[in-house]
Amino acid sequence: MKEFIRYIRTLYPVSNEAAEALAGIMTEVKCKKHAILQPIGHTCRVIYFVKKGALRIFYEKDGKDITESLEFENAFVARAESLLSGEPSHKGIEAMEDSTLYAINAAKLVELYDQYLEIERLFKKIFLNAFVTMLKRIESIQFYPAETRYANFVKENPNVLKRVSLKYIASYLGITQVSLSRIRAKH
């Protein structure tokens, strides 16, 4: 838990009291590779923090499994649209490795917002960062060729090729596995 507190303080300064209150609503969760933490059609009520491991957010389209997001240590993972609307999500969350997570109960988190303004500001910053990351990913797919997307992805995530199946990487980049193999052969 100390690593978590240290990490969130790099995002926003929280008092010891607020950090303890936040820790009080968190539960450590261990899950195996391929465990589904949130199935498609489920209403998101938990925010996960990746202590160790890797998660992906995915959906199905035309019978294909599509990876929307790849998340690793020190990432917060949730289906924000479901969390905020209270409606079921069209996306799911899966562990790509054996993982250790902190599960944060969203309803209890909202209650802490009223007691600790710094916790509300911390999570506002976390959600805004996630929004910006999503926009950058969309723009990457819109404006850059597959080779550039791959090069940028590997530069930003140098160890990911050792940790994640190539089918998930290809899907995340918006290309086929065959195209990814060709691109990798050139690099």
Side-chain angles (χ1 to χ4, degrees):
M1 192 68 66
K2 290 179 184 177
E3 301 90 10
F4 172 78
I5 303 299
R6 199 173 309 120
Y7 176 72
I8 63 169
R9 284 184 170 147
T10 67
L11 302 175
Y12 193 86
V14 295
S15 66
N16 289 337
E17 183 182 344
E20 287 176 26
L22 183 56
I25 64 165
M26 296 169 53
T27 307
E28 186 172 281
V29 176
K30 292 183 185 279
C31 58
K32 295 287 186 192
K33 182 176 184 176
H34 300 302
I36 301 295
L37 298 163
Q38 176 186 308
I40 293 171
H42 179 268
T43 301
C44 186
R45 292 186 172 91
V46 175
I47 300 167
Y48 295 100
F49 176 80
V50 183
K51 179 179 177 185
K52 180 181 180 296
L55 303 180
R56 76 181 185 113
I57 296 173
F58 68 98
Y59 61 95
E60 294 174 1
K61 182 177 180 184
D62 300 327
K64 293 182 182 177
D65 179 297
I66 310 291
T67 299
E68 176 183 275
S69 176
L70 300 170
E71 304 295 343
F72 304 94
E73 287 79 11
N74 295 329
F76 288 89
V77 182
R79 292 310 320 132
E81 80 289 346
S82 176
L83 192 68
L84 298 172
S85 72
E87 297 176 5
S89 178
H90 297 288
K91 299 170 186 170
I93 301 173
E94 177 186 17
M96 294 181 294
E97 299 177 335
D98 290 351
S99 299
T100 303
L101 315 166
Y102 291 129
I104 303 168
N105 179 299
K108 291 181 181 178
L109 177 64
V110 171
E111 290 174 12
L112 288 184
Y113 288 172
D114 293 332
Q115 293 176 281
Y116 303 97
L117 185 59
E118 67 236 63
I119 291 177
E120 182 180 26
R121 288 184 176 162
L122 166 68
F123 278 86
K124 178 181 176 183
K125 187 169 185 176
I126 289 166
F127 286 128
L128 287 173
N129 287 345
F131 179 69
V132 169
T133 299
M134 180 187 66
L135 289 177
K136 286 180 179 180
R137 179 174 181 269
I138 291 168
E139 288 177 354
S140 173
I141 291 171
Q142 289 175 323
F143 299 117
Y144 296 108
E147 288 185 18
T148 303
R149 292 196 308 267
Y150 174 77
N152 289 341
F153 179 75
V154 171
K155 182 180 175 184
E156 293 170 9
N157 306 281
N159 297 318
V160 75
L161 295 174
K162 298 174 189 171
R163 297 177 68 182
V164 176
S165 168
L166 292 179
K167 72 179 180 180
Y168 296 146
I169 294 170
S171 175
Y172 175 75
L173 294 173
I175 59 178
T176 65
Q177 280 187 263
V178 173
S179 295
L180 178 58
S181 293
R182 280 192 214 120
I183 292 168
R184 291 185 71 216
K186 291 180 185 178
H187 287 270

